[in-house]
Amino acid sequence: MSDHNDLADLLAPGLAPADIPALNALMGARGLLSAFITLFRGGEDEVLLRILVLREIGLRAAAPRWSSQELLNHFAYLNATKLETVLKRFSKDGLLVWDSDDQLYSLSTTGRVVLAAISSLTQFAEEDAELGYLTAQVAAGQAVGDVAPDALQHLLARLNELHADFEAALESQSEFQIKAARKQLDSVWRWVEKGTEIIRSVLEDEHTGYAEHQVAQAIALAQARMLRLTSVFHRRLNELAAQRVHLGESGLTSSNIADWLRNQSQDTLANLGRDLLSFHPEPSCVVSDVLLDITEFELLERERDSHELMALPASQAAQEVGEVEAEQLLAADAFYDDLQGIASEVNISKAVLADTYEETVYRLSLLSLLGDAEVALENSVVADIVRLPFALELDASVETLDHPAVAAMTRGRLRPL
């Protein structure tokens, strides 16, 4: 009761822990959370020692019960006093169970659950593996027929974060940022593919709840956007490669030089620039009979600037691309990929119809530019669409559509040339 009152003191006046659903759910798992508190309370060295002992005890599957002498022999490399302190702490807080009849230690049910959670977490300790861990949590829930809503939400949040990072790299037009983002996309690619299979199973499971089904659909959409970014990255890197400046016949490009400079320390860069700039007197005349006149002019009559600023101008961040322009860029990329898959004549509605009215109108406006010689000279994805071998033929009649956002559309055909 005292713990309950202490927790109530942390809330706003008039509220009890049971009044807050999120806090009430945590209180329901308080016994399990207390086991984690026991394991992780204290300094980093103490925590590592406890995890080591708990893992070693749990790894002996053939004989899961330990006598005191077996523990001392197995952990002979540890300080005996420290080991005894850890064992007493585990026994007191319910991670270990002491059988007084057989004089043996064994992991409790709570201890086994905590150990399984830590083993799963450390399996994904390498860089860029957090998406793998989140995907594994969803897969585990799906395998036993009980997908946790929190696991789906965490996976969706991480996918949206990654997509936002990749979009920011594309909008920066920086070759270095795009390459770094492409490398990160490659590192998480297998988890995206695994996640696609798992989410498909979740959506096909008739026992999936409505809320979980909605989140799973959002995850599927986020994964589809991630898959589409592969071709976008490839096209952007090709465009940047075409813009590189080659330095004579050395085989080097401006990107090679910039990449090398980015990896140098500040001291190295300072030494490279040393003695490249020098200032020395430049007398207009050294003839003795006119030296006095020149000196008088320099000292008395010549007008000089009161101050010359020799420092380099401060760097400025590149102007960010607006959200609308970024969305249109991605929409154009997606439309370009769809058009490349058209091999025969199709109705204009089939070619341009999208999920929203705005995207459908934007696609139709892009098709109206087909064959425009001036736009085709540009270096952009819109110019790539204009240069595609298609002809647009429109009729005066109107086609009624069964679509939630577009009621009707002008009849027409998109015909490959």
Side-chain angles (χ1 to χ4, degrees), residues 207-381:
H207 299 293
T208 302
Y210 175 77
E212 290 80 5
H213 194 275
Q214 293 294 105
V215 180
Q217 284 184 326
I219 292 175
L221 177 61
Q223 290 171 336
R225 292 192 301 170
M226 293 274 285
L227 295 174
R228 183 182 300 171
L229 283 177
T230 303
S231 60
V232 179
F233 273 119
H234 183 69
R235 188 176 303 116
R236 287 291 176 273
L237 290 174
N238 287 341
E239 292 176 358
L240 292 173
Q243 298 172 4
R244 290 175 185 161
V245 177
H246 292 265
L247 307 179
E249 299 179 357
S250 63
L252 297 175
T253 65
S254 55
S255 296
N256 299 136
I257 303 300
D259 190 34
W260 182 82
L261 290 173
R262 286 167 63 90
N263 293 322
Q264 304 307 308
S265 64
Q266 292 186 1
D267 293 338
T268 302
L269 295 176
N271 291 331
L272 289 175
R274 194 181 305 281
D275 299 330
L276 293 181
L277 296 176
S278 60
F279 302 92
H280 54 83
E282 298 180 356
S284 302
C285 180
V286 292
V287 181
S288 59
D289 57 346
V290 294
L291 184 57
L292 184 59
D293 294 337
I294 299 298
T295 303
E296 183 180 2
F297 169 76
E298 291 291 338
L299 295 178
L300 302 178
E301 300 180 10
R302 180 179 175 184
E303 295 182 0
R304 291 181 171 83
D305 295 334
S306 59
H307 180 264
E308 291 184 3
L309 182 62
M310 303 302 295
L312 292 174
S315 61
Q316 295 181 352
Q319 184 178 4
E320 296 183 357
V321 180
E323 294 183 1
V324 176
E325 289 80 0
E327 292 178 0
Q328 290 181 349
L329 179 64
L330 293 175
D333 281 321
F335 189 34
Y336 178 79
D337 294 337
D338 294 343
L339 290 176
Q340 287 185 315
I342 297 178
S344 59
E345 181 176 303
V346 296
N347 289 336
I348 188 65
S349 59
K350 183 177 180 180
V352 303
L353 200 60
D355 295 337
T356 63
Y357 170 79
E358 291 78 8
E359 187 174 355
T360 302
V361 173
Y362 181 63
R363 286 185 168 204
L364 185 59
S365 67
L366 291 177
L367 284 186
S368 65
L369 299 174
L370 285 173
D372 191 316
E374 183 176 350
V375 177
L377 296 176
E378 300 177 359
N379 185 19
S380 65
V381 66

Side-chain angles (χ1 to χ4, degrees), residues 52 160 250 254 402:
L52 170 66
N160 288 335
S250 63
S254 55
D402 183 14

Side-chain angles (χ1 to χ4, degrees), residues 10-67:
L10 303 177
L11 305 178
L15 289 178
D19 298 331
I20 304 174
L23 182 58
N24 196 32
L26 290 176
M27 292 183 64
R30 201 164 189 174
L32 188 59
L33 294 178
S34 296
F36 282 99
I37 294 173
T38 298
L39 196 60
F40 289 100
R41 175 179 292 173
E44 181 179 352
D45 296 337
E46 296 175 344
V47 171
L48 288 175
L49 177 62
R50 295 184 203 124
I51 294 176
L52 170 66
V53 173
L54 190 67
R55 289 187 64 184
E56 290 296 306
I57 293 176
L59 286 176
R60 199 171 77 168
R65 306 179 77 188
W66 298 70
S67 67

